[in-house]
Amino acid sequence: MGGVSNATLPSLPSADRPDVAARLRDALLGASFTADGLLELLGAPAYAALARSETVPALRATRGDTPLEALVRLFLLQQPVPHAHVAEVLPVEECLQSGWLVRTGGDEVAATVDVRPYGGPGGEDWFIVSDLGCAVGGAGGIGSRDEGVVLGVGGASTTLAGITVRTPVASALDLGTGSGIQALHASRHATRVTATDLNPRALHITALTLALSGAPAADLRQGSLFEPVKEGETYDLIVSNPPFVISPGARLTYRDGGMGGDDLCRSLVQGAGERLNVGGFAQFLANWQHVEGEDWQDRLRSWVPRGCDAWIVQREVQDVTQYAELWLRDAGDHRGDPAEYQARYDAWLEEFEARKVKGVGFGWITLRRTDAAEPSVTVEEWPHSIEQPLGDTVRAHFERLDYLREHDDAALLTGHFRLAAEVVQEQVGLPGAEDPEHVVLRQHRGMRRATKVDTVGAGFAGVCDGTLSAGRILDAIAQLLGEDPVVLRDRTPAQIRLLVEQGFLEPVD
């Protein structure tokens, strides 16, 4: 995610000692230094406080002398721990020799990196390695301390992991790997994982994350964006949580792209198409500018490379002042010199004004390489609650696109459908009214969409169980309502198509 001088950063454990990493992993697991073990030890309030960068509750909960308490203080809270306490559970001398631990004043040892337990989607006990003070609760002002730090788990990284399609693939590329979270997830379902980053420190830490988690080693390559990808090399999956922050300059490597405006995210999306195999997915988190006089949806459609279907979801929009304040606080600038804070704030607004930016959007971009003559591009705003993980929902979205592309209205009426799981019908109207003003279908899974339907649409969805064709259901509804079945067959496919596209109805083979 960026290259800087790491001279001011502490040295890292050796990435060439997988034997030590394996023994350290066994020791951590043996002491229940896992996500579940932490929750049981700390309790829900203290555990949740860690995600907010608040460590006092966890410090209070680890005042005993059990091995697990010692490990939490050592690796998660970065407190020196007596050598004798650590020696009860860890291979201390090997950890000292390979650089996981260092001796401090007195008879104490300290960790050289943050190690955070992380539960994998299949119940795996993983560990995310990051720079000291960078694992708990995201950045929290870390950026102002040093440009070269490598962050651990944060909301953005878990969001991307949750939306990623997890079908088995031959090859996956994690672009801008950071601490290796996406590469770790990809190792579960990809035969070959390539991880890149401009910052060599990030590649080193990714190697540590994979080794300590018991995952296969990845092909680690240094370079910016697609530079490390060899000519002609393609992948089945590309994922990236890039340095997407739109900022004046590139002061903080872990978040600032170093290109003007949203050019980094645009370049990333546009360059992914030719690196994907047909049927392969590329999934990114991104920020994009809302420019005065421009339609933001058209702006994003222009990013989509040829030969790719796309589904772009805007989750949030902030005005330029909110956006600048968010990232100034992320860097800890609000706690420094007020004059310097004001100068940086002013520079941010000056940059936005020069570019006629009135707001910044945040969301997800998913591409799928297709050989269809007319690729489909969907750009939508969805700020409402969702249910993670969404990988299966994303995959199903594109499968439904294929189905709709291959079925004209006549073919649609011969198809069979079933109502998706956990879809409910809501009727809205005045109390005592004979008929509702409108009927809403609402999903309780995945995107949790809601859509308004008419009487025919509600009746159609309600009887879809896969046994009758769409045409036969409409004929029965026409008879029930006293309508002309030919007219009903003619005007209803558009509504069926929408219900399929949005996931309320699923085609049955």
Side-chain angles (χ1 to χ4, degrees), residues 27-382:
L28 296 178
L29 294 178
S32 296
F33 187 67
T34 63
D36 290 341
L38 286 185
L39 181 59
E40 183 176 349
L41 171 67
L42 302 178
Y47 190 78
L50 283 177
R52 303 190 300 270
S53 300
E54 297 292 348
T55 59
V56 172
L59 288 168
R60 290 178 58 85
T62 55
R63 291 180 291 187
D65 57 3
T66 67
L68 179 55
E69 288 171 298
L71 292 179
V72 171
R73 294 177 72 86
L74 182 68
F75 284 117
L76 199 57
L77 302 177
Q78 290 89 57
Q79 300 293 309
V81 175
H83 184 287
H85 290 180
V86 180
E88 295 177 15
V89 61
L90 295 182
V92 175
E93 294 307 316
E94 288 180 278
C95 288
L96 287 168
Q97 291 172 11
S98 60
W100 288 94
L101 301 175
V102 292
R103 297 186 185 277
T104 62
D107 191 25
E108 292 183 325
V109 295
T112 57
V113 287
D114 277 335
V115 175
R116 179 171 180 170
Y118 181 75
E124 300 91 349
D125 288 316
W126 287 339
F127 299 96
I128 307 300
V129 180
S130 61
D131 271 312
L132 289 173
C134 301
V136 177
I142 289 165
S144 61
R145 191 187 68 202
D146 197 288
E147 293 181 340
V149 296
V150 178
L151 301 189
V153 181
S157 54
T158 55
T159 293
L160 179 59
I163 68 172
T164 300
V165 176
R166 296 297 176 191
T167 52
V169 295
S171 57
L173 170 64
D174 176 14
L175 201 71
T177 187
S179 57
I181 300 165
Q182 308 308 324
L184 183 57
H185 278 276
S187 70
R188 295 182 68 246
H189 62 102
T191 303
R192 175 173 57 88
V193 177
T194 302
T196 72
D197 206 293
L198 184 59
N199 184 359
R201 188 175 183 85
L203 297 176
H204 190 136
I205 284 181
T206 291
L208 298 175
T209 289
L210 294 173
L212 196 58
S213 298
D219 178 4
L220 303 177
R221 304 180 189 177
Q222 185 180 354
S224 177
L225 298 179
F226 290 103
E227 286 177 1
V229 177
K230 300 171 186 175
E231 185 176 354
E233 196 170 22
T234 55
Y235 297 87
D236 302 309
L237 174 68
I238 298 173
V239 293
S240 183
N241 175 21
F244 52 67
V245 177
I246 300 170
S247 58
R251 182 165 64 105
L252 305 178
T253 307
Y254 70 85
R255 68 171 205 194
D256 298 329
M259 295 186 184
D262 51 18
D263 282 355
L264 182 134
C265 290
R266 177 185 54 78
S267 299
L268 188 61
V269 174
Q270 290 181 335
E274 62 183 327
R275 275 90 176 185
L276 279 177
N277 296 321
V278 173
F281 288 92
Q283 298 187 262
F284 315 104
L285 299 186
N287 279 186
W288 44 79
Q289 298 172 148
H290 284 232
V291 180
E292 187 177 342
E294 257 186 57
D295 184 294
W296 69 270
Q297 293 177 314
D298 288 343
R299 180 183 184 83
L300 289 176
R301 287 189 185 96
S302 73
W303 290 10
V304 178
R306 295 179 60 185
C308 287
D309 293 323
W311 184 20
I312 301 174
V313 181
Q314 180 168 271
R315 294 288 289 158
E316 183 182 1
V317 182
Q318 292 184 321
D319 67 46
V320 293
T321 60
Q322 291 173 314
Y323 190 80
E325 290 164 13
L326 169 67
W327 295 109
L328 287 166
R329 285 184 170 85
D330 169 84
D333 292 325
H334 61 302
R335 294 196 290 264
D337 178 20
E340 189 174 345
Y341 173 83
Q342 291 178 10
R344 283 180 172 156
Y345 197 155
D346 186 66
W348 224 306
L349 297 184
E350 184 75 20
E351 178 83 3
F352 282 137
E353 184 176 337
R355 295 179 176 275
K356 298 183 178 180
V357 176
K358 59 183 180 179
V360 178
F362 169 83
W364 324 318
I365 297 177
T366 300
L367 307 176
R368 185 189 60 167
R369 187 77 182 179
T370 180
D371 52 12
E374 296 184 12
S376 169
V377 177
T378 301
V379 184
E380 63 175 318
E381 187 165 17
W382 190 254

Side-chain angles (χ1 to χ4, degrees), residues 414-418 463-470 472-473 508:
T414 66
H416 293 239
F417 304 92
R418 62 169 168 259
V463 297
C464 277
D465 61 3
T467 57
L468 296 176
S469 69
R472 290 189 62 186
I473 293 174
V508 177

